[in-house]
Amino acid sequence: MPFVKRYGILVIAWVCLAGWPMPAYAQNLIYSPTPGNPVGRAPQAITAGDFNGDGLWDMATVNSTSDDVSVLLGNGNGTFQSAVSFGVGKIPLAVVAADMDRDGRLDLVLALTGSDQLVVLKGEGTGLFQKLASQGAGKGTTFLVVRDVNGDGWSDVVAVNSGRFGYYPPFDLAVLFNDGKGGLLAPVTYEQNGRDGMFPTGVLVEDLTGDGKPDLAVTWSQPSWRSPNGLVSILKNTGNGTFALEKELKPGFTLSAIQGADINHDGLVDLAVTSLFSDTVRILLQREGGTFAELDPIKVGFAPVGVTFRDFDGDQEIDMVVVNRDSNSLSILLGDGAGLFTSAGHFGVGAAPSAMVVEDFDQDQFPDLATASTNVDGVSVLLSGDAAIPLPSLSTDVMVFEMESGQETNPSSSPHMVRVSNIGLGLLKIVDVKITGNEADAFSVVDNTCADVTLHTGDSCTLKVGFAPHEPGTHYAMLTVHDNASGSPRRVVLKGLVKG
């Protein structure tokens, strides 16, 4: 996609034209919303990776009310197939994709907050997962990071045990080493003595001391019924994945998230922390000797709960995006390479976004945005630029066949037709058409002009289905159309009735 496409009018807009959302514009940035992606009930966390080995970005959410995981396989154009959900246990609140057993396939690590367990789901490389191992972690885990912290080449897990955001003490931080098979050893806990009733909310795992070993930076907050408080504790990796408190920082109250990157090109990891108390994000620039300079807080949306660094405008400088739970938005801030940031605007997403991922979902070389939107049970995706995505429309969602007993059963004699049209702006590719169900043999596709077809905007193709039952009665099946658009596959109910 040409770089010029990223430049737009200095406004923020959400407009619906004929029911279709138009791009949102902000300073030097354009993001286009896509159709919503339904998942389980109340998604709380989201992760991305290639789960089926096709080279395209996929996503997974954990859904706290339906107690399941939803996997959305990517089509490579910024849209996703319909979610496949499966139960995992009580109140999952955190998930990370990582290759835990070193078989070259991504696995999922998730926190079951209702049972105080971490679970490793082994990826089969097809988008499906099976339970590999489980391990107790601590009270009410709400955030996870996966990283090799002891240098043995295996991915370990750092768990933030907040007692489900301050309700179930004791609170602590747990490090769980990989057992060399993809499972987890018993946790080693830190910060277990408490900090005047505060609980941990997030953790960054990066080398903060310049010795090549990943250290820990932990954000802390207070329960809602206590006076505002907050701090960042930095724990130094003393070797082999053990940690000791190095220093404490106090950049604000009610800290909710932390992220790190070298944003001013001095070779040191700087920090960004979000504050629910002040609706801000604050940059902490690391100086030689390990001290941090606190810059002025930057106003974002209401109740920021996550922050991520990435280059959004293509200038080779680190930018920042903050997810705001109570204003249903993402705030993008553009970095100048010296540690200062300028707001590029706020972009609307689904209600109550709780977490986000930033990846190139449509393969245009620019980062896109996706949020787990808790109150709409879905994933909201914003594509960088004037995204052109396909939008299929089927002329019917049910076909009803009727015939008399003894009538000739030639499926081609009186077929029913469904027309598949592309009313979107991107190319629609029909990948597969099949009839499924226990009585699928009573129906057949007798004419298919959609086979191996790519439909431009306004184009259409047709599928003709015949009915040839082997016995009287009512027969049911499903015509399934797989395509490269959001929510694939499409389904048409087939009902055949033999009278007499």
Side-chain angles (χ1 to χ4, degrees):
M1 182 184 73
F3 184 76
V4 70
K5 290 181 68 176
R6 296 180 57 82
Y7 285 85
I9 303 172
L10 302 180
V11 332
I12 304 170
W14 287 90
V15 182
C16 289
L17 180 61
W20 181 250
M22 299 299 287
Y25 294 82
Q27 179 180 334
N28 296 339
L29 294 177
I30 300 173
Y31 278 93
S32 301
T34 67
N37 300 274
V39 292
R41 296 195 301 279
Q44 299 290 338
I46 186 169
T47 189
D50 180 9
F51 300 141
N52 60 351
D54 62 358
L56 306 175
W57 284 103
D58 310 311
M59 295 188 292
T61 66
V62 287
N63 314 304
S64 62
T65 301
S66 51
D67 294 335
D68 56 13
V69 169
S70 296
V71 176
L72 299 111
L73 298 180
N75 294 316
N77 59 3
T79 67
F80 294 82
Q81 299 175 30
S82 294
V84 175
S85 300
F86 52 93
V88 289
K90 191 175 180 181
I91 315 179
L93 287 185
V95 63
V96 178
D99 183 6
M100 296 297 292
D101 56 1
R102 300 203 308 191
D103 65 352
R105 301 168 180 169
L106 284 179
D107 311 306
L108 295 178
V109 183
L110 50 97
L112 301 182
T113 307
S115 58
D116 297 331
Q117 293 281 311
L118 299 189
V119 175
V120 179
L121 300 178
K122 178 179 174 59
E124 298 182 355
T126 61
L128 300 177
F129 297 85
Q130 298 292 334
K131 184 176 179 179
L132 176 64
S134 63
Q135 179 64 263
K139 295 290 287 185
T141 306
T142 48
F143 191 79
L144 299 173
V145 174
V146 175
R147 182 82 178 265
D148 178 13
V149 298
N150 60 355
D152 64 355
W154 292 85
S155 294
D156 310 308
V157 177
V158 180
V160 173
N161 298 321
S162 72
R164 211 180 305 169
F165 305 112
Y167 284 92
Y168 305 103
F171 315 127
D172 57 42
L173 195 72
V175 176
L176 297 92
F177 296 136
N178 196 305
D179 65 3
K181 301 176 183 178
L184 299 171
L185 299 177
V188 178
T189 57
Y190 298 89
E191 301 275 19
Q192 62 265 39
N193 293 328
R195 291 180 170 275
D196 191 28
M198 288 191 293
F199 60 90
T201 57
V203 63
L204 171 70
V205 184
E206 289 289 348
D207 178 13
L208 299 172
T209 56
D211 62 1
K213 299 173 184 148
D215 307 303
L216 308 179
V218 188
T219 48
W220 294 80
S221 178
Q222 82 294 333
S224 59
W225 57 85
R226 299 193 55 171
S227 299
N229 207 339
L231 61 84
V232 174
S233 60
I234 295 180
L235 286 75
K236 179 179 172 58
N237 191 331
T238 60
N240 298 322
T242 58
F243 298 88
L245 182 64
E246 177 82 358
K247 60 172 62 73
E248 295 179 355
L249 311 171
K250 295 187 177 181
F253 295 147
T254 321
L255 302 181
S256 54
I258 186 168
Q259 190 54 262
D262 179 12
I263 62 179
N264 59 350
H265 309 289
D266 63 357
L268 303 174
V269 176
D270 309 302
L271 305 177
V273 294
T274 54
S275 168
L276 287 173
F277 179 79
S278 58
D279 297 327
T280 60
V281 61
R282 173 170 252 169
I283 298 297
L284 289 74
L285 292 179
Q286 187 172 183
R287 305 302 192 193
E288 291 291 342
T291 61
F292 288 85
E294 297 180 5
L295 303 189
D296 291 337
I298 305 169
K299 278 288 186 180
V300 289
F302 300 141
V305 293
V307 57
T308 297
F309 286 119
R310 197 66 60 91
D311 179 11
F312 290 106
D313 58 359
D315 66 353
Q316 309 305 310
E317 301 293 351
I318 294 293
D319 306 313
M320 182 168 48
V321 58
V322 177
V323 56
N324 309 302
R325 184 188 62 209
D326 291 354
S327 55
N328 307 327
S329 67
L330 299 176
S331 299
I332 295 182
L333 302 106
L334 303 181
D336 67 354
L340 299 180
F341 290 82
T342 302
S343 176
H346 308 284
F347 296 79
V349 293
S354 55
M356 66 180 163
V357 289
V358 182
E359 300 295 350
D360 182 14
F361 296 122
D362 58 0
Q363 306 180 88
D364 67 351
Q365 308 304 311
F366 291 102
D368 308 306
L369 308 166
T371 63
S373 298
T374 304
N375 286 0
V376 294
D377 300 335
V379 171
S380 301
V381 177
L382 298 178
L383 299 181
S384 175
D386 291 317
I389 61 173
L391 183 63
S393 175
L394 274 61
S395 59
T396 184
D397 58 6
V398 62
M399 293 180 177
V400 179
F401 302 79
E402 293 184 357
M403 62 185 305
E404 298 293 335
S405 179
Q407 184 178 338
E408 179 185 2
T409 57
N410 180 358
S412 300
S413 61
S414 56
H416 288 29
M417 184 186 77
V418 58
R419 182 176 297 276
V420 181
S421 304
N422 181 14
I423 60 175
L425 299 179
L427 297 177
L428 177 64
K429 297 180 180 180
I430 307 302
V431 177
D432 187 33
V433 176
K434 62 179 62 175
I435 295 177
T436 59
N438 293 334
E439 298 176 291
D441 58 352
F443 305 87
S444 61
V445 177
V446 298
D447 186 56
N448 180 3
T449 67
C450 297
D452 301 320
V453 163
T454 298
L455 301 177
H456 292 75
T457 302
D459 289 348
S460 63
C461 61
T462 58
L463 300 166
K464 292 183 178 180
V465 178
F467 177 51
H470 302 296
E471 56 187 30
T474 304
H475 304 263
Y476 290 94
M478 193 77 69
L479 175 66
T480 305
V481 180
H482 292 263
D483 55 48
N484 69 329
S486 180
S488 176
R490 327 285 150 199
R491 293 180 174 87
V492 178
V493 175
L494 305 178
K495 177 182 179 181
L497 177 61
V498 181
K499 300 178 181 179

